[in-house]
């Protein structure tokens, strides 16, 4: 098996959805995957492949806690002495109109999706610099390209991941470290059921918000199989120079390309038609 960066992978949010499927897919290819969850015991083996010798072992991690990030990385380093690939996948979505999202709720969205990624990068970058090689894959979203009404905090957190990844690529390049943003579209996972609704959205003054979020949830439930992201991730892990960002799925790729050339007002019109 080819493994350009090496075989040791640390993947956050591996208990469900995209993370779980990706962890198992990579293990099937011979990668030694340390998958994280807030609710697991360190060292629990959840998947192994006798042929490839790959496995998925769970590591307890809350990406909102710097100490927890430090402990998780220390655990992998004690077992393996190296981390070749970090996949920042842990995340969730908040729904509610901007006006009806408290500061605390907005911060909690960024704390997991954006600062969670940053906490993990802060722990892993010094290791990768010493190794003079490494790959960081950040799981963004098409919602970071197209701002979704009533999910502004989620879209903003994913858009921030894009800005971060672009700067990280330039800063880390001298040490042989590469970074790439993966942008999935609607995908069938636990994400929909795990969505958090802001407290004020219960008595919303925005009558369109309910049907808009329902539409989004329908699209997610009939969305793509997470294996698409797993396969894409595996391909990126063998690229010496991965692209800045990769959108998953042909229709989403086309939408992202079109956004670059059509006027902003047209994009806004389409989003209003779809979600408002
Ligand atoms: N599904 C979609 O349509 C879609 C589309 C675009 C992008 N994405 C992105 O894909 C990523 C994975 O989402 P998914 O769809 O697979 O959702 P999911 O099935 O709900 O899985 C989310 C994972 O994140 C973990 N997680 C959440 N908060 C965490 C925290 N504070 N610390 C550590 N782990 C945490 C969960 O682990 P525990 O609860 O066990 O800790 C779980 O393993 C997310 O970043 C999401 O934004 C999803």
């Amino acid at each position: 098996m080819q493994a350009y960066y090496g075989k040791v992978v640390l993947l956050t949010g591996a208990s469900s959805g995209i993370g779980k499927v990706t962890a198992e897919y990579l293990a099937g290819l011979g990668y030694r995957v340390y998958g994280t969850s807030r609710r697991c015991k360190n060292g629990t083996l959840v998947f192994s492949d006798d042929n490839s010798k790959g496995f998925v072992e769970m590591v307890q991690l809350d990406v909102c806690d710097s100490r927890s990030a430090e402990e998780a990385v220390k655990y992998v380093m004690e077992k393996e002495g190296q981390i070749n690939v970090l996949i920042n996948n842990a995340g969730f979505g908040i729904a509610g109109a901007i006006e009806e999202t408290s500061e605390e709720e907005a911060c909690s969205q960024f704390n997991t999706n954006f600062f969670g990624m940053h906490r993990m990068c802060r722990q892993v970058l010094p290791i990768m610099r010493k190794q003079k090689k490494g790959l960081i894959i950040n799981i963004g979203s098409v919602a970071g390209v197209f701002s979704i009404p009533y999910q502004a905090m989620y879209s903003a957190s994913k858009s921030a991941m894009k800005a971060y990844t672009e700067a990280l690529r330039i800063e880390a390049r001298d040490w042989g470290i590469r970074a790439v943003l993966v942008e999935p579209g609607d995908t069938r996972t636990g994400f929909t059921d795990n969505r958090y609704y802001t407290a004020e959205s219960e008595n919303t003054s925005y009558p369109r918000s309910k049907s808009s979020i329902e539409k989004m949830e329908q699209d997610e439930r009939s969305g793509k199989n997470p294996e698409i992201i797993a396969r894409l991730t595996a391909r990126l892990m063998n690229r010496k120079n991965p692209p800045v960002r990769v959108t998953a799925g042909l229709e989403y790729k086309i939408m992202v390309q079109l956004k670059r050339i059509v006027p902003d007002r047209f994009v806004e019109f389409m989003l209003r038609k779809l979600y408002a």
Side-chain angles (χ1 to χ4, degrees):
M1 183 210 56
Q2 258 190 307
Y4 177 77
Y5 295 90
K7 285 189 176 172
V8 181
V9 179
L10 175 56
L11 192 166
T12 69
S15 63
S16 165
I18 292 172
K20 185 170 191 285
V21 172
T22 302
E24 290 174 7
Y25 185 82
L26 294 176
L29 295 176
Y31 286 96
R32 299 200 290 276
V33 182
Y34 292 84
T36 79
S37 165
R38 285 164 294 182
R39 290 168 284 262
C40 69
K41 219 170 137 237
N42 277 0
T44 313
L45 191 70
V46 291
F47 183 88
S48 66
D49 187 310
D50 288 344
N51 292 327
S52 68
K53 304 284 177 239
F55 60 78
V56 182
E57 182 178 317
M58 295 307 285
V59 184
Q60 202 275 329
L61 167 71
D62 181 350
V63 297
C64 296
D65 179 347
S66 310
R67 187 72 199 272
S68 176
E70 192 182 330
E71 290 294 322
V73 168
K74 197 169 143 214
Y75 178 85
V76 180
M77 286 304 281
E78 277 168 4
K79 294 207 82 167
E80 296 282 352
Q82 58 185 326
I83 295 175
N84 309 122
V85 179
L86 167 67
I87 305 177
N88 284 307
N89 165 75
F92 77 106
I94 281 188
I98 290 172
E99 185 191 325
E100 294 169 350
T101 303
S102 70
E103 197 181 320
E104 197 188 18
E105 288 168 330
C107 286
S108 82
Q109 178 72 106
F110 273 77
N111 201 14
T112 300
N113 292 9
F114 180 78
F115 291 108
M117 164 189 70
H118 180 51
R119 286 185 192 96
M120 296 308 294
C121 286
R122 295 244 308 148
Q123 292 299 324
V124 169
L125 280 167
I127 294 163
M128 289 184 170
R129 278 198 301 107
K130 277 197 199 115
Q131 292 169 180
K132 297 199 163 38
K133 205 176 194 181
L135 175 67
I136 297 177
I137 299 177
N138 293 327
I139 306 296
S141 171
V142 169
V145 182
F146 297 95
S147 289
I148 313 292
Y150 314 111
Q151 296 191 65
M153 298 310 152
Y154 179 69
S155 279
S157 74
K158 292 295 180 182
S159 192
M161 286 180 83
K162 174 179 173 287
Y164 183 103
T165 308
E166 287 173 3
L168 174 63
R169 279 171 67 90
I170 300 168
E171 290 184 19
R173 195 178 169 79
D174 290 347
W175 286 274
I177 303 166
R178 303 289 182 258
V180 53
L181 183 78
V182 171
E183 295 169 329
D186 294 320
T187 313
R188 289 192 309 274
T189 68
F191 186 82
T192 312
D193 290 333
N194 290 333
R195 178 172 276 112
Y196 171 90
Y197 295 84
T198 67
E200 287 174 39
S201 63
E202 205 167 317
N203 295 309
T204 183
S205 307
Y206 288 77
R208 288 180 207 268
S209 65
K210 199 166 170 287
S211 58
S212 172
I213 296 163
E214 273 170 13
K215 161 84 175 83
M216 171 56 84
E217 296 200 334
Q218 261 170 27
D219 292 349
E220 286 165 3
R221 287 189 206 283
S222 56
K224 293 195 179 298
N225 187 319
E227 205 177 303
I228 289 178
I229 313 298
R231 277 192 251 116
L232 174 60
T233 305
R235 284 199 298 277
L236 288 169
M237 284 163 60
N238 274 318
R239 287 188 68 169
K240 189 176 169 191
N241 276 313
V244 178
R245 60 195 250 213
V246 186
T247 308
L250 184 63
E251 67 272 49
Y252 294 112
K253 272 190 213 301
I254 293 169
M255 279 161 62
V256 168
Q257 288 303 324
L258 276 177
K259 186 172 188 256
R260 292 187 179 146
I261 47 175
V262 301
D264 290 345
R265 274 184 194 280
F266 180 73
V267 174
E268 186 189 55
F269 170 77
M270 291 309 291
L271 284 168
R272 272 176 38 216
K273 282 265 167 231
L274 276 172
Y275 296 117

